[in-house]
């Protein structure tokens, strides 16, 4: 029986797509001489930023230099970031009814603390796993398995909720049920989800 709810962050808890895109556009304009495209976003969304920058053609050394700049630049567009409607109410209900809550995100610890912690949601979560916590990252199941280990629960007691194919693959690789955050993915096509949630409050339907 599922009693533990583990969440991705970007596109699942908070709508950060615009700020990330605008920050990336600034970086690419300055360091690659071109604007960011929607294809760039499809390439990098859902994986650690360092890996994403390398997929866009930067060397590992360049990516290490540019990643904190991208994170800081995205922060300057914080006015475009918002918590998805109904998400905090859902988290509060789950917490008040003694469910364990976790986060598994591809953000680094520093990026998470800079861009997500200010929204005041951390206290809802019993465990927060960033890309700084594991050697392997999504789509590997290792981050999710590490979250389960720290929570002290088994695979069949949890569900991982996210909006990207990397989240889906991470859940499968960790043998955990996957719930699609359709409010973030905008489509269910191409996903192998155990549950499809159209709004955050729909998560409560599986209790």
């Amino acid at each position: 029986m599922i009693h533990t709810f583990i969440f991705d962050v970007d596109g699942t808890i908070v709508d950060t797509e615009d700020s990330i895109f605008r920050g990336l556009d600034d970086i690419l304009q300055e360091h690659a001489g071109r604007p960011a495209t929607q294809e760039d976003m499809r390439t990098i969304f859902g994986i650690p930023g360092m890996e994403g920058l390398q997929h866009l053609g930067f060397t590992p050394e360049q990516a290490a230099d540019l990643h904190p700049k991208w994170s800081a630049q995205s922060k300057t567009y914080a006015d475009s970031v918002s918590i998805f409607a109904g998400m905090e109410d859902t988290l509060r209900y789950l917490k008040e009814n003694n469910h364990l809550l976790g986060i598994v995100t591809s953000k680094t610890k520093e990026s998470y603390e800079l861009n997500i912690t200010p929204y005041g949601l951390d206290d809802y979560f019993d465990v927060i796993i960033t890309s700084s916590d594991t050697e392997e990252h999504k789509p590997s199941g290792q981050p999710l398995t590490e979250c389960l280990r720290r929570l002290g629960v088994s695979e069949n007691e949890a569900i991982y909720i996210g909006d990207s194919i990397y989240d889906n693959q991470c859940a499968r690789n960790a043998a955990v049920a996957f719930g699609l955050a359709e409010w973030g993915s905008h489509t269910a096509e191409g996903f192998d989800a155990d549950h499809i949630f159209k709004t955050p409050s729909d998560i409560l339907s599986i209790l």
Side-chain angles (χ1 to χ4, degrees), residues 172-187:
R172 289 289 170 258
N173 289 329
V176 171
F178 178 67
L180 177 63
E182 194 174 16
W183 61 87
S185 69
H186 309 299
T187 180

Side-chain angles (χ1 to χ4, degrees), residues 26-78:
D26 290 344
I27 293 297
L28 291 181
Q29 293 273 16
E30 181 176 355
H31 297 278
R34 69 172 182 85
T37 66
Q38 288 303 315
E39 182 59 33
D40 293 329
M41 286 297 288
R42 284 189 287 272
T43 297
I44 60 93
F45 218 68
I47 60 175
M50 283 274 292
E51 293 180 22
L53 288 168
Q54 290 175 64
H55 282 307
L56 295 180
F58 293 103
T59 67
E61 293 75 20
Q62 289 171 325
D65 177 59
L66 292 176
H67 184 252
K69 296 178 181 178
W70 177 17
S71 181
Q73 196 62 26
S74 296
K75 179 66 174 176
T76 67
Y77 299 113

